[in-house]
Amino acid sequence: MKIYTITIVIVLLLCVCAADANAVRLNRDTASDPLSGSTGYGERLPVPGEKSLEALIAKKIWKLYKIDIPDRDIHVVERQDTGQATAASYSLTYQKVPYAGLIIGYRSNYKWYELSMDIMKVYRDMRVQIADSGGAASLPNQYQEGLAFRSVYGYVHDPNIRQIRIEYRGGLVSTLQLAQGQTIYMDSRIEPEQRDKQDEQDQQHQQAEQLSRITMYSANGSVLYERDYSPVS
């Protein structure tokens, strides 16, 4: 089964060399960090599924890093379900170091399977952390349905930030409200992949979905953080 990957999550240390400067990850020492990075796109049936998203995350971490993290130590923070697939943000702690991440998966016959997973180290001295990724994959059903997904997630260290506005190049805007004490945020879209598009149209669509600007506000509407990801002309 073919899987088309356009993952663009990039460590900030490397983003100065990246072709797409809008895909950033605010991590600083991934060489010494045992848990950091995008895993790309996972296996498909008949690989055994897992009973929960937490178990699926733990299994993937073990496969990639040979680090055994109990399911009970992984906490799903937020979920966005589309019927075909689910995006979920999560948190965990390993060796007293906090991490945040995002997984996109689907459920079949009461088991969970991975489409994409990402994880980043949480830095307590940073005000905001941001990760941006997108991709496409085929579901293992009789129709071989393709899904395209785009996710922005991260960690907010400033307790005064209560609202996040995420703007995409194509004009789409998402506004996230943070509950009191909420630190991990997520905006994810999962849509059927339009495979009849020509390559040029497909590329334009992907570019339109890329992150354009992110603005974070206080409860009274004051701007506390802003970053522009628009390409430099």
Side-chain angles (χ1 to χ4, degrees), residues 184-224:
I184 297 176
Y185 63 91
M186 173 186 72
D187 181 52
S188 186
R189 295 191 307 280
I190 305 173
E191 302 173 344
E193 184 183 14
Q194 300 181 29
R195 297 181 175 179
D196 57 346
K197 287 185 176 182
Q198 298 177 358
D199 291 343
E200 183 176 351
Q201 292 176 314
D202 220 9
Q203 185 177 9
Q204 291 175 351
H205 181 68
Q206 294 167 15
Q207 291 174 347
E209 289 184 328
Q210 291 177 8
L211 185 60
S212 174
R213 180 187 297 270
I214 186 165
T215 310
M216 302 187 180
Y217 304 87
S218 66
N220 63 12
S222 299
V223 175
L224 300 181

Side-chain angles (χ1 to χ4, degrees), residues 53-54 76-81 86-89 107 112 186:
L53 284 169
E54 292 87 350
V76 172
V77 178
E78 184 180 1
R79 285 175 50 167
Q80 294 180 358
D81 298 289
T86 295
S89 58
R107 199 177 185 193
W112 284 98
M186 173 186 72

Side-chain angles (χ1 to χ4, degrees), residues 8 19 25 28 39 42 58 77 81 129 156 181 189 195 227:
I8 58 169
R25 168 192 300 286
R28 295 174 292 188
T39 67
V77 178
D81 298 289
Q129 290 180 251
V156 172
R189 295 191 307 280
R195 297 181 175 179
R227 182 163 182 173

Side-chain angles (χ1 to χ4, degrees), residues 158-177:
D158 186 343
N160 296 312
I161 294 174
R162 302 298 297 276
Q163 184 183 90
I164 301 175
R165 177 184 170 90
I166 302 173
E167 301 173 47
Y168 298 90
R169 292 187 193 177
L172 292 174
V173 176
S174 293
T175 301
L176 312 179
Q177 302 291 338

